[in-house]
Amino acid sequence: MSVFAKDILDLAGSILHTCREQGLMLATAESCTGGLIATCFTEIAGSSTVFDRGFVTYSNEAKQEMLGVKAATLSQFGAVSRETAMEMALGALAHSKAHISISVTGIAGPGGGSVEKPVGLVHIAIATLNGVLDHVEYRFVDLDRATVRMMALRSSLGMGNQFLSRSL
């Protein structure tokens, strides 16, 4: 019995299937989801053939040390930004054997938000070894922490599926 809903496992399974067909290895870099994406992939038997590793980089220091996110990026744009999400995705590629990576950073709440960056703001990025870099910003407003995190998970997997179907 999985802790994840069937639709989430179906999305993850589709990504793993496409990666397997294309001979691609996958990595994740997560902040606000705290490893949910990696956990979802590893919930599926046989995922080790395409899922290389997951980085949980909750603090700015972890983002810098484990993924090579620049201190200047964090200072200028913040941990929850397009720029940081993209550097996280690129860093996951650089520090793994993956061909494609998915990163997510956001403000799950209930605190930590501001007018410019409200609770529910999530940035997701995908990067590939062949130089493709994609980003989407989501705003899951007026939702509780658990729901924001699950929406970030669903959106990351959905974006991964869309990306793989059109790019590779």
Side-chain angles (χ1 to χ4, degrees):
M1 177 73 127
S2 175
V3 297
F4 296 106
K6 184 182 181 317
D7 68 308
I8 292 175
L9 290 175
D10 288 346
L11 287 168
S14 179
I15 290 172
L16 295 174
H17 176 75
T18 302
C19 286
R20 193 173 293 112
E21 281 186 336
Q22 299 289 326
L24 303 173
M25 292 297 289
L26 172 68
T28 59
E30 302 180 63
S31 187
C32 67
T33 49
L36 285 173
I37 303 168
T39 302
C40 189
F41 285 135
T42 60
E43 188 81 8
I44 299 169
S47 61
S48 63
T49 62
V50 295
F51 184 68
D52 181 52
R53 66 191 75 185
F55 298 91
V56 177
T57 56
Y58 212 69
S59 70
N60 286 350
E61 291 78 18
K63 288 173 183 65
Q64 291 174 278
E65 292 170 9
M66 296 173 70
L67 299 172
V69 173
K70 297 180 191 97
T73 300
L74 294 165
S75 176
Q76 183 175 357
F77 301 104
V80 180
S81 65
R82 172 185 186 269
E83 293 79 8
T84 296
M86 293 192 322
E87 284 190 27
M88 288 171 65
L90 291 169
L93 289 179
H95 294 91
S96 71
K97 297 182 185 306
H99 302 94
I100 183 170
S101 67
I102 302 171
S103 72
V104 62
T105 184
I107 304 168
S114 67
V115 172
E116 300 83 25
K117 294 185 180 186
V119 169
L121 175 65
V122 174
H123 289 273
I124 300 169
I126 294 178
T128 67
L129 278 183
N130 63 358
V132 177
L133 187 58
D134 200 6
H135 164 267
V136 176
E137 176 184 305
Y138 294 91
R139 290 181 182 252
F140 305 117
V141 295
D142 298 325
L143 300 173
D144 63 75
R145 180 177 181 81
T147 305
V148 168
R149 294 179 74 212
M150 291 309 290
M151 293 299 294
L153 169 62
R154 276 191 171 88
S155 298
S156 297
L157 296 173
M159 184 178 168
N161 272 298
Q162 290 175 352
F163 180 86
L164 285 168
S165 70
R166 73 174 193 269
S167 297
L168 300 173

mmCIF file with all atom_site columns, all heavy atoms in Angstrom, residues 13-31:
data_model
loop_
_atom_site.group_PDB
_atom_site.id
_atom_site.type_symbol
_atom_site.label_atom_id
_atom_site.label_alt_id
_atom_site.label_comp_id
_atom_site.label_asym_id
_atom_site.label_entity_id
_atom_site.label_seq_id
_atom_site.pdbx_PDB_ins_code
_atom_site.Cartn_x
_atom_site.Cartn_y
_atom_site.Cartn_z
_atom_site.occupancy
_atom_site.B_iso_or_equiv
_atom_site.pdbx_formal_charge
_atom_site.auth_seq_id
_atom_site.auth_comp_id
_atom_site.auth_asym_id
_atom_site.auth_atom_id
_atom_site.pdbx_PDB_model_num
ATOM 1   N N   . GLY A 1 13 ? 5.348  7.027  -12.590 1.00 0.00 ? 13 GLY A N   1
ATOM 2   C CA  . GLY A 1 13 ? 5.611  5.845  -13.408 1.00 0.00 ? 13 GLY A CA  1
ATOM 3   C C   . GLY A 1 13 ? 5.799  6.189  -14.869 1.00 0.00 ? 13 GLY A C   1
ATOM 4   O O   . GLY A 1 13 ? 6.646  5.595  -15.551 1.00 0.00 ? 13 GLY A O   1
ATOM 5   N N   . SER A 1 14 ? 5.050  7.159  -15.357 1.00 0.00 ? 14 SER A N   1
ATOM 6   C CA  . SER A 1 14 ? 5.182  7.588  -16.747 1.00 0.00 ? 14 SER A CA  1
ATOM 7   C C   . SER A 1 14 ? 6.554  8.212  -16.997 1.00 0.00 ? 14 SER A C   1
ATOM 8   O O   . SER A 1 14 ? 7.191  7.949  -18.022 1.00 0.00 ? 14 SER A O   1
ATOM 9   C CB  . SER A 1 14 ? 4.070  8.577  -17.088 1.00 0.00 ? 14 SER A CB  1
ATOM 10  O OG  . SER A 1 14 ? 4.190  9.019  -18.415 1.00 0.00 ? 14 SER A OG  1
ATOM 11  N N   . ILE A 1 15 ? 7.023  9.028  -16.070 1.00 0.00 ? 15 ILE A N   1
ATOM 12  C CA  . ILE A 1 15 ? 8.354  9.622  -16.198 1.00 0.00 ? 15 ILE A CA  1
ATOM 13  C C   . ILE A 1 15 ? 9.416  8.530  -16.208 1.00 0.00 ? 15 ILE A C   1
ATOM 14  O O   . ILE A 1 15 ? 10.312 8.514  -17.059 1.00 0.00 ? 15 ILE A O   1
ATOM 15  C CB  . ILE A 1 15 ? 8.626  10.628 -15.062 1.00 0.00 ? 15 ILE A CB  1
ATOM 16  C CG1 . ILE A 1 15 ? 7.747  11.869 -15.244 1.00 0.00 ? 15 ILE A CG1 1
ATOM 17  C CG2 . ILE A 1 15 ? 10.104 11.014 -14.998 1.00 0.00 ? 15 ILE A CG2 1
ATOM 18  C CD1 . ILE A 1 15 ? 7.780  12.837 -14.080 1.00 0.00 ? 15 ILE A CD1 1
ATOM 19  N N   . LEU A 1 16 ? 9.316  7.605  -15.268 1.00 0.00 ? 16 LEU A N   1
ATOM 20  C CA  . LEU A 1 16 ? 10.294 6.512  -15.200 1.00 0.00 ? 16 LEU A CA  1
ATOM 21  C C   . LEU A 1 16 ? 10.274 5.681  -16.475 1.00 0.00 ? 16 LEU A C   1
ATOM 22  O O   . LEU A 1 16 ? 11.323 5.310  -17.005 1.00 0.00 ? 16 LEU A O   1
ATOM 23  C CB  . LEU A 1 16 ? 10.023 5.640  -13.970 1.00 0.00 ? 16 LEU A CB  1
ATOM 24  C CG  . LEU A 1 16 ? 10.217 6.316  -12.608 1.00 0.00 ? 16 LEU A CG  1
ATOM 25  C CD1 . LEU A 1 16 ? 9.780  5.375  -11.499 1.00 0.00 ? 16 LEU A CD1 1
ATOM 26  C CD2 . LEU A 1 16 ? 11.649 6.773  -12.408 1.00 0.00 ? 16 LEU A CD2 1
ATOM 27  N N   . HIS A 1 17 ? 9.089  5.397  -16.986 1.00 0.00 ? 17 HIS A N   1
ATOM 28  C CA  . HIS A 1 17 ? 8.947  4.610  -18.216 1.00 0.00 ? 17 HIS A CA  1
ATOM 29  C C   . HIS A 1 17 ? 9.614  5.319  -19.402 1.00 0.00 ? 17 HIS A C   1
ATOM 30  O O   . HIS A 1 17 ? 10.375 4.710  -20.160 1.00 0.00 ? 17 HIS A O   1
ATOM 31  C CB  . HIS A 1 17 ? 7.468  4.348  -18.509 1.00 0.00 ? 17 HIS A CB  1
ATOM 32  C CG  . HIS A 1 17 ? 7.236  3.632  -19.789 1.00 0.00 ? 17 HIS A CG  1
ATOM 33  N ND1 . HIS A 1 17 ? 7.474  2.280  -19.942 1.00 0.00 ? 17 HIS A ND1 1
ATOM 34  C CD2 . HIS A 1 17 ? 6.813  4.085  -20.997 1.00 0.00 ? 17 HIS A CD2 1
ATOM 35  C CE1 . HIS A 1 17 ? 7.200  1.930  -21.197 1.00 0.00 ? 17 HIS A CE1 1
ATOM 36  N NE2 . HIS A 1 17 ? 6.793  3.016  -21.847 1.00 0.00 ? 17 HIS A NE2 1
ATOM 37  N N   . THR A 1 18 ? 9.343  6.618  -19.541 1.00 0.00 ? 18 THR A N   1
ATOM 38  C CA  . THR A 1 18 ? 9.933  7.379  -20.645 1.00 0.00 ? 18 THR A CA  1
ATOM 39  C C   . THR A 1 18 ? 11.448 7.437  -20.503 1.00 0.00 ? 18 THR A C   1
ATOM 40  O O   . THR A 1 18 ? 12.172 7.267  -21.496 1.00 0.00 ? 18 THR A O   1
ATOM 41  C CB  . THR A 1 18 ? 9.340  8.799  -20.704 1.00 0.00 ? 18 THR A CB  1
ATOM 42  O OG1 . THR A 1 18 ? 7.920  8.701  -20.854 1.00 0.00 ? 18 THR A OG1 1
ATOM 43  C CG2 . THR A 1 18 ? 9.916  9.592  -21.863 1.00 0.00 ? 18 THR A CG2 1
ATOM 44  N N   . CYS A 1 19 ? 11.935 7.664  -19.309 1.00 0.00 ? 19 CYS A N   1
ATOM 45  C CA  . CYS A 1 19 ? 13.387 7.691  -19.086 1.00 0.00 ? 19 CYS A CA  1
ATOM 46  C C   . CYS A 1 19 ? 14.005 6.333  -19.429 1.00 0.00 ? 19 CYS A C   1
ATOM 47  O O   . CYS A 1 19 ? 15.060 6.277  -20.074 1.00 0.00 ? 19 CYS A O   1
ATOM 48  C CB  . CYS A 1 19 ? 13.706 8.082  -17.646 1.00 0.00 ? 19 CYS A CB  1
ATOM 49  S SG  . CYS A 1 19 ? 13.458 9.833  -17.291 1.00 0.00 ? 19 CYS A SG  1
ATOM 50  N N   . ARG A 1 20 ? 13.346 5.270  -19.026 1.00 0.00 ? 20 ARG A N   1
ATOM 51  C CA  . ARG A 1 20 ? 13.840 3.921  -19.319 1.00 0.00 ? 20 ARG A CA  1
ATOM 52  C C   . ARG A 1 20 ? 13.907 3.704  -20.837 1.00 0.00 ? 20 ARG A C   1
ATOM 53  O O   . ARG A 1 20 ? 14.898 3.211  -21.360 1.00 0.00 ? 20 ARG A O   1
ATOM 54  C CB  . ARG A 1 20 ? 12.945 2.880  -18.651 1.00 0.00 ? 20 ARG A CB  1
ATOM 55  C CG  . ARG A 1 20 ? 13.535 1.476  -18.635 1.00 0.00 ? 20 ARG A CG  1
ATOM 56  C CD  . ARG A 1 20 ? 12.682 0.515  -17.794 1.00 0.00 ? 20 ARG A CD  1
ATOM 57  N NE  . ARG A 1 20 ? 12.714 0.874  -16.377 1.00 0.00 ? 20 ARG A NE  1
ATOM 58  C CZ  . ARG A 1 20 ? 11.686 1.337  -15.672 1.00 0.00 ? 20 ARG A CZ  1
ATOM 59  N NH1 . ARG A 1 20 ? 10.504 1.499  -16.223 1.00 0.00 ? 20 ARG A NH1 1
ATOM 60  N NH2 . ARG A 1 20 ? 11.820 1.635  -14.396 1.00 0.00 ? 20 ARG A NH2 1
ATOM 61  N N   . GLU A 1 21 ? 12.835 4.083  -21.545 1.00 0.00 ? 21 GLU A N   1
ATOM 62  C CA  . GLU A 1 21 ? 12.798 3.925  -23.003 1.00 0.00 ? 21 GLU A CA  1
ATOM 63  C C   . GLU A 1 21 ? 13.888 4.725  -23.702 1.00 0.00 ? 21 GLU A C   1
ATOM 64  O O   . GLU A 1 21 ? 14.444 4.295  -24.703 1.00 0.00 ? 21 GLU A O   1
ATOM 65  C CB  . GLU A 1 21 ? 11.443 4.389  -23.558 1.00 0.00 ? 21 GLU A CB  1
ATOM 66  C CG  . GLU A 1 21 ? 10.333 3.393  -23.407 1.00 0.00 ? 21 GLU A CG  1
ATOM 67  C CD  . GLU A 1 21 ? 9.064  3.862  -24.103 1.00 0.00 ? 21 GLU A CD  1
ATOM 68  O OE1 . GLU A 1 21 ? 8.885  5.100  -24.312 1.00 0.00 ? 21 GLU A OE1 1
ATOM 69  O OE2 . GLU A 1 21 ? 8.252  2.994  -24.452 1.00 0.00 ? 21 GLU A OE2 1
ATOM 70  N N   . GLN A 1 22 ? 14.192 5.903  -23.170 1.00 0.00 ? 22 GLN A N   1
ATOM 71  C CA  . GLN A 1 22 ? 15.175 6.802  -23.780 1.00 0.00 ? 22 GLN A CA  1
ATOM 72  C C   . GLN A 1 22 ? 16.599 6.569  -23.255 1.00 0.00 ? 22 GLN A C   1
ATOM 73  O O   . GLN A 1 22 ? 17.529 7.224  -23.718 1.00 0.00 ? 22 GLN A O   1
ATOM 74  C CB  . GLN A 1 22 ? 14.778 8.264  -23.516 1.00 0.00 ? 22 GLN A CB  1
ATOM 75  C CG  . GLN A 1 22 ? 13.446 8.654  -24.090 1.00 0.00 ? 22 GLN A CG  1
ATOM 76  C CD  . GLN A 1 22 ? 13.481 8.737  -25.600 1.00 0.00 ? 22 GLN A CD  1
ATOM 77  O OE1 . GLN A 1 22 ? 14.485 9.104  -26.197 1.00 0.00 ? 22 GLN A OE1 1
ATOM 78  N NE2 . GLN A 1 22 ? 12.380 8.370  -26.238 1.00 0.00 ? 22 GLN A NE2 1
ATOM 79  N N   . GLY A 1 23 ? 16.750 5.673  -22.277 1.00 0.00 ? 23 GLY A N   1
ATOM 80  C CA  . GLY A 1 23 ? 18.069 5.425  -21.700 1.00 0.00 ? 23 GLY A CA  1
ATOM 81  C C   . GLY A 1 23 ? 18.583 6.585  -20.865 1.00 0.00 ? 23 GLY A C   1
ATOM 82  O O   . GLY A 1 23 ? 19.783 6.847  -20.827 1.00 0.00 ? 23 GLY A O   1
ATOM 83  N N   . LEU A 1 24 ? 17.667 7.278  -20.189 1.00 0.00 ? 24 LEU A N   1
ATOM 84  C CA  . LEU A 1 24 ? 18.019 8.456  -19.401 1.00 0.00 ? 24 LEU A CA  1
ATOM 85  C C   . LEU A 1 24 ? 18.021 8.155  -17.914 1.00 0.00 ? 24 LEU A C   1
ATOM 86  O O   . LEU A 1 24 ? 17.157 7.438  -17.422 1.00 0.00 ? 24 LEU A O   1
ATOM 87  C CB  . LEU A 1 24 ? 17.019 9.585  -19.667 1.00 0.00 ? 24 LEU A CB  1
ATOM 88  C CG  . LEU A 1 24 ? 16.858 10.034 -21.109 1.00 0.00 ? 24 LEU A CG  1
ATOM 89  C CD1 . LEU A 1 24 ? 15.707 11.026 -21.221 1.00 0.00 ? 24 LEU A CD1 1
ATOM 90  C CD2 . LEU A 1 24 ? 18.149 10.632 -21.623 1.00 0.00 ? 24 LEU A CD2 1
ATOM 91  N N   . MET A 1 25 ? 18.972 8.742  -17.217 1.00 0.00 ? 25 MET A N   1
ATOM 92  C CA  . MET A 1 25 ? 18.988 8.714  -15.758 1.00 0.00 ? 25 MET A CA  1
ATOM 93  C C   . MET A 1 25 ? 18.403 10.028 -15.252 1.00 0.00 ? 25 MET A C   1
ATOM 94  O O   . MET A 1 25 ? 18.564 11.074 -15.878 1.00 0.00 ? 25 MET A O   1
ATOM 95  C CB  . MET A 1 25 ? 20.404 8.543  -15.217 1.00 0.00 ? 25 MET A CB  1
ATOM 96  C CG  . MET A 1 25 ? 21.026 7.185  -15.502 1.00 0.00 ? 25 MET A CG  1
ATOM 97  S SD  . MET A 1 25 ? 20.143 5.808  -14.735 1.00 0.00 ? 25 MET A SD  1
ATOM 98  C CE  . MET A 1 25 ? 20.531 6.053  -13.007 1.00 0.00 ? 25 MET A CE  1
ATOM 99  N N   . LEU A 1 26 ? 17.749 9.969  -14.092 1.00 0.00 ? 26 LEU A N   1
ATOM 100 C CA  . LEU A 1 26 ? 17.003 11.086 -13.533 1.00 0.00 ? 26 LEU A CA  1
ATOM 101 C C   . LEU A 1 26 ? 17.505 11.407 -12.132 1.00 0.00 ? 26 LEU A C   1
ATOM 102 O O   . LEU A 1 26 ? 17.859 10.503 -11.366 1.00 0.00 ? 26 LEU A O   1
ATOM 103 C CB  . LEU A 1 26 ? 15.525 10.671 -13.483 1.00 0.00 ? 26 LEU A CB  1
ATOM 104 C CG  . LEU A 1 26 ? 14.510 11.541 -12.798 1.00 0.00 ? 26 LEU A CG  1
ATOM 105 C CD1 . LEU A 1 26 ? 14.320 12.846 -13.566 1.00 0.00 ? 26 LEU A CD1 1
ATOM 106 C CD2 . LEU A 1 26 ? 13.189 10.792 -12.698 1.00 0.00 ? 26 LEU A CD2 1
ATOM 107 N N   . ALA A 1 27 ? 17.526 12.708 -11.800 1.00 0.00 ? 27 ALA A N   1
ATOM 108 C CA  . ALA A 1 27 ? 17.849 13.157 -10.443 1.00 0.00 ? 27 ALA A CA  1
ATOM 109 C C   . ALA A 1 27 ? 16.859 14.245 -10.042 1.00 0.00 ? 27 ALA A C   1
ATOM 110 O O   . ALA A 1 27 ? 16.250 14.887 -10.892 1.00 0.00 ? 27 ALA A O   1
ATOM 111 C CB  . ALA A 1 27 ? 19.272 13.704 -10.374 1.00 0.00 ? 27 ALA A CB  1
ATOM 112 N N   . THR A 1 28 ? 16.712 14.446 -8.743  1.00 0.00 ? 28 THR A N   1
ATOM 113 C CA  . THR A 1 28 ? 15.850 15.499 -8.231  1.00 0.00 ? 28 THR A CA  1
ATOM 114 C C   . THR A 1 28 ? 16.624 16.385 -7.261  1.00 0.00 ? 28 THR A C   1
ATOM 115 O O   . THR A 1 28 ? 17.571 15.935 -6.613  1.00 0.00 ? 28 THR A O   1
ATOM 116 C CB  . THR A 1 28 ? 14.620 14.936 -7.497  1.00 0.00 ? 28 THR A CB  1
ATOM 117 O OG1 . THR A 1 28 ? 15.056 14.113 -6.411  1.00 0.00 ? 28 THR A OG1 1
ATOM 118 C CG2 . THR A 1 28 ? 13.739 14.126 -8.440  1.00 0.00 ? 28 THR A CG2 1
ATOM 119 N N   . ALA A 1 29 ? 16.203 17.645 -7.178  1.00 0.00 ? 29 ALA A N   1
ATOM 120 C CA  . ALA A 1 29 ? 16.736 18.593 -6.203  1.00 0.00 ? 29 ALA A CA  1
ATOM 121 C C   . ALA A 1 29 ? 15.525 19.270 -5.577  1.00 0.00 ? 29 ALA A C   1
ATOM 122 O O   . ALA A 1 29 ? 14.779 19.967 -6.259  1.00 0.00 ? 29 ALA A O   1
ATOM 123 C CB  . ALA A 1 29 ? 17.646 19.611 -6.880  1.00 0.00 ? 29 ALA A CB  1
ATOM 124 N N   . GLU A 1 30 ? 15.315 19.039 -4.297  1.00 0.00 ? 30 GLU A N   1
ATOM 125 C CA  . GLU A 1 30 ? 14.085 19.491 -3.649  1.00 0.00 ? 30 GLU A CA  1
ATOM 126 C C   . GLU A 1 30 ? 14.362 20.350 -2.426  1.00 0.00 ? 30 GLU A C   1
ATOM 127 O O   . GLU A 1 30 ? 15.269 20.081 -1.669  1.00 0.00 ? 30 GLU A O   1
ATOM 128 C CB  . GLU A 1 30 ? 13.253 18.288 -3.212  1.00 0.00 ? 30 GLU A CB  1
ATOM 129 C CG  . GLU A 1 30 ? 12.894 17.348 -4.343  1.00 0.00 ? 30 GLU A CG  1
ATOM 130 C CD  . GLU A 1 30 ? 12.081 16.174 -3.861  1.00 0.00 ? 30 GLU A CD  1
ATOM 131 O OE1 . GLU A 1 30 ? 10.949 16.405 -3.367  1.00 0.00 ? 30 GLU A OE1 1
ATOM 132 O OE2 . GLU A 1 30 ? 12.576 15.033 -3.967  1.00 0.00 ? 30 GLU A OE2 1
ATOM 133 N N   . SER A 1 31 ? 13.517 21.342 -2.262  1.00 0.00 ? 31 SER A N   1
ATOM 134 C CA  . SER A 1 31 ? 13.533 22.146 -1.052  1.00 0.00 ? 31 SER A CA  1
ATOM 135 C C   . SER A 1 31 ? 12.190 22.006 -0.348  1.00 0.00 ? 31 SER A C   1
ATOM 136 O O   . SER A 1 31 ? 12.049 21.173 0.538   1.00 0.00 ? 31 SER A O   1
ATOM 137 C CB  . SER A 1 31 ? 13.855 23.605 -1.378  1.00 0.00 ? 31 SER A CB  1
ATOM 138 O OG  . SER A 1 31 ? 14.025 24.344 -0.187  1.00 0.00 ? 31 SER A OG  1
#
